[in-house]
């Protein structure tokens, strides 16, 4: 069993590390620094940390002003509030003029846990995806998070990084490649391909292991960059495997699943989306919620078998 | 410029505004005409900018939070030499750099894109904070509409401006008393604006927004370490008799005949 580490903690650490390297990096938060872990940066660079208080819209606007003055601002809040309350600000002040603001929202998905449905973002990827000029990345573990944050800092333009709250398996390696827009193939196989993102990538790899024991060989591809989508890799594996499953800790509407569908439309394939079935979350322990909403390795493996039985 | 020269300049800019909007058959004359004196004083008497180097890092900044007053801003920037005045006739037309609401990626001299009300003051706060972090002396001005003050984000920004002691920030409210569906009082009363801003920790003054001397004087007031707010009492549509104080001229373009009448009034 791999160790677990929260992606948001890796975020906080990566930010502090970047802060030492680049004096132009500033961080803004909406009174959640001890949850988003921007507090690590704030502790080290108090003069470069700006708390907006419980005011996501103003936080976003201030970041734009800072970007226009030559800084590289990271803004952080809970995904549901940042993407929801500050949607027009992200759309009109950041994306429309293509400002270099890094939107790093934590607590994406149902694994937010006990706080319940009001706090569990199941729509943030969908909201960001439809905004032009927006790049979207969802790292799969703590190790990939550090790479994603560094890539985001070096990228010129609006970028949304979705970060998970709950400790999750650290299963990738520091030497694994990471390039914005380029999917990572983690398992090879041709019975089906599972495209997963964020903390659903590990369960997908686990499902592949399980299925291998039953002589079913699936490919698993980590789609860390939802936008722009790595169309070439997606098409290659989809057309090879013919059975496609999308897995995300997000609504089945508008997220990874639909982003893949955009690429695959027009091809004769079996296609299934695993995600939150157009409903809100609820209070519970993260592991219980994943089971409740059908987001485990068991569910993924079963979906593959169901698809194969359909043939 | 002296007062007389400035006033003459403002008449000329008003002609540019009317011409631009009539040419496009689209635009916001009322709020552009009410704001032009403020913008003229800022760009001729107060702000340090370099038309030949719009990105000059020590420039003073102006955020046109009330983005629909773009004709006023474009007129002033053109006159200051940021672009040829001749180009203004493409305003709001397909492929024009003079978008209906300022697009900072298309037009020089504009630092952020506005149009969605309530967002400008936040961006101005960010610039002001940036100045302090970078230890730069530039000043940041934000020109807001009065209806715009109904957007909650304005007050988030106001709170932040005081919290971060942004004495390098001046918010100017173009208080012409009218919005789209009626007067401010009919739609959503703003109450005592100066008191509100004072309550939020600003140094607040109320002036005649068409008195160039009063505008300049207000801009020079020492805010004693706090952000400043100038409530400029203005007349929507100022300068064109049939537009003055009329709700209907918020977003309606004058016809050719109406434009000709307006220009006649604005002669000299």
């Amino acid at each position: 069993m791999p160790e677990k580490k929260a992606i948001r903690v890796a975020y906080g650490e990566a930010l502090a590390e970047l802060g030492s390297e680049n004096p132009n990096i500033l961080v803004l938060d909406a009174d959640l620094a001890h949850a988003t872990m921007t507090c690590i940066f704030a502790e080290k660079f108090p003069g470069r940390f700006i708390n907006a208080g419980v005011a996501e819209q103003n936080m976003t606007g201030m970041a734009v002003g800072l970007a226009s003055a030559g800084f590289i601002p990271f803004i952080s809040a809970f995904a549901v509030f940042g993407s929801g309350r500050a949607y027009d600000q992200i759309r009109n002040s950041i994306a429309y003029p293509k400002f270099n603001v890094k939107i790093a929202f934590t607590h994406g998905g149902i694994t937010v846990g006990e706080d319940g449905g009001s706090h569990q973002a199941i729509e943030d990827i969908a909201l960001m995806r439809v905004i032009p000029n927006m790049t979207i990345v969802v790292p799969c573990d703590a190790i990939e998070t550090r790479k994603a944050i560094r890539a985001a800092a070096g990228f010129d333009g609006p970028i949304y990084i979705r970060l998970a709250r709950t400790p999750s398996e650290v299963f990738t390696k520091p030497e694994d490649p990471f390039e914005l827009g380029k999917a990572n193939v983690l398992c090879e196989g041709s019975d089906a391909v599972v495209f997963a993102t964020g903390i659903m990538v590990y369960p997908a790899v686990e499902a592949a292991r399980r299925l291998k024991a039953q002589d079913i060989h699936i490919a698993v591809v980590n789609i860390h960059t939802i936008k722009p989508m790595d169309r070439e890799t997606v098409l290659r594996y989809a057309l090879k495997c013919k059975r496609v499953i999308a897995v995300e800790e997000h609504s089945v509407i508008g997220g990874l699943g639909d982003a893949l569908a955009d690429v695959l439309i027009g091809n004769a394939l079996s296609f299934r989306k695993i995600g939150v079935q157009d409903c809100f979350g609820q209070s519970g322990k993260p592991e219980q919620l994943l089971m409740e909403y059908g987001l485990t390795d068991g569910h993924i493996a079963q979906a593959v078998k169901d698809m194969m039985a359909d043939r | 410029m002296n007062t007389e020269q400035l006033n003459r300049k403002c008449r000329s800019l008003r002609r540019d505004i009317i011409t631009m909007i009539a040419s496009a058959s689209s635009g916001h004359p009322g709020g552009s005409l009410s704001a032009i004196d403020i913008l003229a004083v800022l760009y001729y008497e107060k702000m340090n900018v370099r038309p030949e180097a719009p990105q000059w890092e020590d420039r003073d900044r102006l955020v046109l939070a009330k983005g629909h007053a773009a004709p006023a801003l474009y007129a002033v920037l053109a006159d200051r030499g940021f672009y040829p005045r001749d180009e203004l006739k493409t305003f709001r037309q397909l492929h024009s750099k003079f978008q209906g609401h300022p697009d900072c990626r298309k037009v020089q001299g504009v630092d952020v894109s506005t149009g969605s009300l309530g967002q400008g003051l936040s961006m101005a706060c960010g610039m002001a904070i940036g100045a302090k972090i970078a230890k730069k002396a530039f000043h940041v001005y934000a020109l807001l509409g009065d209806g715009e003050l109904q957007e909650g984000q304005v007050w988030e920004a106001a709170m932040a401006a005081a919290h971060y002691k942004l004495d390098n920030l001046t918010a100017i409210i173009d208080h012409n008393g009218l919005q789209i569906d009626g007067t401010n009082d009919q739609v959503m009363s703003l109450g005592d604006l100066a008191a509100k801003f004072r309550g939020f920790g600003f140094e607040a003054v109320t002036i005649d927004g068409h008195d160039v001397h009063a505008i300049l004087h207000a801009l020079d007031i020492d805010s004693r370490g706090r952000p400043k707010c100038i409530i400029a009492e203005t007349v929507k549509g100022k300068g064109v008799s049939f537009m003055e104080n009329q709700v209907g001229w918020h977003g309606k373009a004058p016809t050719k005949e109406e434009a000709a009448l307006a220009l006649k009034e604005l002669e000299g």
Side-chain angles (χ1 to χ4, degrees), chain A residues 10 28 60 71 76 118 136 139 144 184 191 241-242 267 271 285:
Chain A
L28 295 91
T60 306
F71 293 98
S76 285
S118 58
I136 300 169
E144 184 164 84
N184 289 350
D191 289 324
C241 301
K242 298 270 187 253
N267 293 289
F271 181 67
K285 292 194 187 344

Side-chain angles (χ1 to χ4, degrees), chain B residues 50-210:
Chain B
R50 289 182 185 168
E52 75 284 4
Q55 290 301 304
W56 173 47
E57 58 180 50
D58 293 313
R59 67 190 181 282
D60 287 325
R61 269 80 161 163
L62 181 274
V63 175
L64 187 69
K66 54 173 291 185
H68 53 281
L73 182 59
Y74 294 155
V76 171
L77 291 176
D79 195 68
R80 279 282 336 241
F82 281 84
Y83 16 77
R85 221 157 118 259
D86 191 52
E87 290 181 2
L88 297 178
K89 64 176 183 272
T90 67
F91 175 62
R92 285 189 167 226
Q93 283 163 48
L94 188 60
H95 305 309
S96 172
K97 64 189 189 198
F98 300 102
Q99 294 288 292
H101 295 76
D103 181 336
C104 66
R105 294 301 174 215
K106 293 201 155 91
V107 78
Q108 304 274 48
V110 175
D111 289 312
V112 289
S113 296
T114 52
S116 180
L117 295 176
Q119 304 201 22
L121 190 59
S122 294
M123 298 192 269
C125 282
M127 293 171 177
I129 292 172
K132 289 192 180 290
I133 292 177
K135 296 189 171 50
K136 285 191 170 284
F138 64 78
H139 201 97
V140 185
Y141 300 92
L143 181 56
L144 283 71
D146 47 17
E148 177 170 16
L149 301 178
Q150 289 154 3
E151 284 285 0
Q153 187 185 349
V154 170
W155 303 98
E156 292 182 15
M159 207 179 284
H163 178 81
Y164 286 105
K165 301 181 169 47
L166 302 179
D167 55 1
N168 54 349
L169 172 71
T170 299
I172 304 164
I173 315 301
D174 179 356
H175 192 210
N176 57 40
L178 308 182
Q179 46 192 101
I180 299 181
D181 286 346
T183 67
N184 299 145
D185 283 335
Q186 286 169 338
V187 178
M188 180 55 64
S189 316
L190 300 173
D192 183 340
L193 288 180
K196 278 188 163 73
F197 276 97
R198 251 173 236 131
F200 271 76
F202 280 60
E203 179 78 36
V205 291
T206 304
I207 59 162
D208 173 353
H210 299 299

Side-chain angles (χ1 to χ4, degrees), chain A residues 12 15-16 27 33-34 37-50:
Chain A
L15 210 46
V27 175
H34 290 88
M37 303 316 291
T38 58
C39 55
I40 304 174
F41 179 99
E43 175 102 11
K44 245 178 131 181
F45 308 104
R48 286 155 62 190
F49 175 78
I50 296 136

Side-chain angles (χ1 to χ4, degrees), chain A residues 82-101:
Chain A
S83 70
R85 306 181 78 110
Y87 191 72
D88 187 47
Q89 287 73 16
I90 292 171
R91 185 245 197 235
N92 265 320
S93 292
I94 297 179
Y96 175 48
K98 286 200 239 192
F99 269 109
N100 193 27
V101 176

